[in-house]
Amino acid sequence: QVQLVESGGGLVQAGGSLRLSCKTSRSASMLDWYRQVSGSQRQREWVASNTEEGNTNYNAEVRGRFTAPRDGPANTAYLQMDNLSPSDTAVYYCHIPGPHQGSWGRGTQVTVSS
């Protein structure tokens, strides 16, 4: 299994920006970002996906505000988050598809204050 480690979360005011990083233990052409609100929400919400074709797809909730570039040689994926709002507050996870629901990082907390 591939290991993934997220970093870059923190506390930011509404309208601010954060950049999350996901370092992987091996190269992966497909990588996803998910988020999950702490508390009652049980299922993680899909945020963005890097496809095998080299494109990136975004959830409509973040399209135009988030970008997900890659640094292939460094085995690192990024989630650049701009114009953040309190509704973006969540634990953010990176994910690589594969057996047994793929591979997941441990997550990094993003908190956006109003």
Side-chain angles (χ1 to χ4, degrees):
Q1 292 180 320
V2 60
Q3 283 75 52
L4 306 90
V5 180
E6 302 97 336
S7 62
L11 176 65
V12 65
Q13 282 190 300
S17 298
L18 285 173
R19 187 181 73 169
L20 308 183
S21 299
C22 173
K23 187 173 183 179
T24 65
S25 61
R26 62 171 174 83
S27 178
S29 58
M30 295 184 292
L31 185 141
D32 309 311
W33 288 94
Y34 285 79
R35 64 187 182 185
Q36 185 172 32
V37 178
S38 300
S40 61
Q41 189 165 323
R42 295 173 292 178
Q43 190 157 338
R44 293 173 183 176
E45 177 188 23
W46 171 72
V47 174
S49 293
N50 303 125
T51 73
E52 198 160 27
E53 294 77 21
N55 304 123
T56 305
N57 299 319
Y58 299 94
N59 187 311
E61 293 293 320
V62 307
R63 190 177 299 116
R65 299 188 297 119
F66 292 9
T67 57
R70 304 288 299 275
D71 185 346
N75 289 339
T76 303
Y78 301 95
L79 187 66
Q80 177 66 45
M81 311 163 69
D82 298 323
N83 194 23
L84 286 161
S85 69
S87 62
D88 296 314
T89 295
V91 178
Y92 284 73
Y93 301 86
C94 56
H95 167 261
I96 293 176
H100 309 290
Q101 291 77 54
S103 298
W104 294 89
R106 296 174 64 88
T108 184
Q109 175 72 49
V110 172
T111 302
V112 184
S113 62
S114 59

